[in-house]
Amino acid sequence: MMLRAHKIELRTNNKQATYFAKACGVARKAYNWALNEWQNQYQMGGKPSEAALRRQLNSIKRKEFPWMLEVTKNASQMAIMQLGDAFKNFFANRAKYPTFRKKGRDDRFTLTNDQFVVNSSRIRIPHLGWVRMRESLRYAGKIVSATISRCAYKWFVSITVEVKKPISLIVNENQVAVGVDLGLHHFAILSTGEKITGPKPQKALMNRLRRLSRSLSRKQKGSNHRHKAKIKLARLHYRIGNIRRDAQHKLTTRLVNQFDIVGIEDLHVKGMMKNRKLSRSIADMGFHEFRRQLDYKSSSVNVKLVIADRWFASSKTCSHCRVKNVNLSLSVREWTCGTCFTHHDRDINAAKNLEYLAVSSTVSACGAPSDGAIISVIASHVA
Ligand SMILES: [Zn+2]
């Protein structure tokens, strides 16, 4: 069994949005109260635990924080359980020491599965009734929990579902592999030579984004105009993200349907160069999202995903003779290999190298020797 989360935008009315904001406030207060208590008890030589802190809050809630009673008790209880998890992760060296939650940044609360019902594209929450979702739940399986959060002045629900683990992948030589090179000049390039251009509306929206962020910086801090501009900007960011995500969904679905093995590069490799902050941050988001989508889609249909680590010289290696051309600069879009004289398009060559890596690492996993050109595969899942 494994867990999958599906985040869906909610279509709230005023009453629902007000309730959510209140529940987020309660969750934040409970979390911060518990973190503060934890630190105090620890300093006094005590052994704090999330279970004891939940009981403690319950006993003082009515008197000290009566407004907490206005929303589901899940809001405060789950927040303290999450603090317990945060400490667990900290002690296991998986995470940093827990920090206090901030309004505007950590607006979320979690419901256990006995506190809500999902029905096609609606979710029913006690005291509140049905709340409409913009799409229906993608996964079938046992629903574990739902976290409601605010982002870019919109409300979302992230529903966690327990899904069956796919059967293990059997590798055979008839499998079709592809390497995918992601970039800023193009949306994606496949080792088949296909260039996939990015979604069209992006350029116009990006211009608007630039204008808006310039106008925001001119507005006085704390002013009403600034606040409005901020909302506009956040919404626009979200819209641009949506367009990109949409195109990514189409591509990642196609890749896992068409190929058995997909090779991609680790994040943070390309996009890092000579780009202005704005477009770079958007490209970064794109890499993360692309990888996330490929990751879950490939595992659910038994496609093998091979991720080359950042030291894999996908651009500089000749995909024909495998000799590394160390002096290739970033600006060179086309080049000829000095050893075998093959002429390369920089991005297609990179995609071909990723395909080669993906195939070799799959073959060597079956016992056949890899030829040593494969330097590193950091993650590949054979489910
Ligand atoms: Zn060559």
Side-chain angles (χ1 to χ4, degrees), residues 17 158 188 240 243 291 300-301 371:
S158 176
I240 292 173
I243 291 166
R291 179 172 166 173
S300 60
V301 292
D371 68 3

Side-chain angles (χ1 to χ4, degrees), residues 171 304 357-372 374 377:
V171 180
K304 187 177 172 181
L357 174 78
V359 174
S360 328
S361 71
T362 305
V363 171
S364 59
C366 297
S370 80
D371 68 3
I374 305 313
V377 179

Side-chain angles (χ1 to χ4, degrees), residues 118-136:
V118 176
N119 175 355
S120 65
S121 53
R122 296 188 303 170
I123 178 167
R124 191 185 155 81
I125 294 163
H127 310 297
L128 210 56
W130 291 105
V131 182
R132 290 187 297 162
M133 306 190 296
R134 285 208 184 269
E135 51 180 314
S136 43

Side-chain angles (χ1 to χ4, degrees), residues 318-323 335 337-342 344:
C318 168
S319 59
H320 188 72
C321 71
R322 316 226 59 79
V323 167
W335 56 284
C337 173
T339 308
C340 73
F341 306 107
T342 306
H344 292 297

Side-chain angles (χ1 to χ4, degrees), residues 178-181 186-197 251 254-255 258-259 345 347-348 351-352:
V178 70
V180 185
D181 181 73
H186 50 78
F187 186 53
I189 283 187
L190 309 187
S191 52
T192 55
E194 187 182 353
K195 292 195 180 196
I196 293 159
T197 48
L251 179 59
R254 196 189 118 194
L255 288 173
Q258 201 175 340
F259 301 97
D345 170 295
D347 302 322
I348 295 174
K352 280 183 176 163

Side-chain angles (χ1 to χ4, degrees), residues 187 198-207 240-241 243-244 282:
F187 186 53
K200 280 266 153 56
Q202 200 147 10
K203 204 163 181 187
L205 286 176
M206 288 293 284
N207 288 337
I240 292 173
I243 291 166
R244 194 166 185 126
I282 284 169

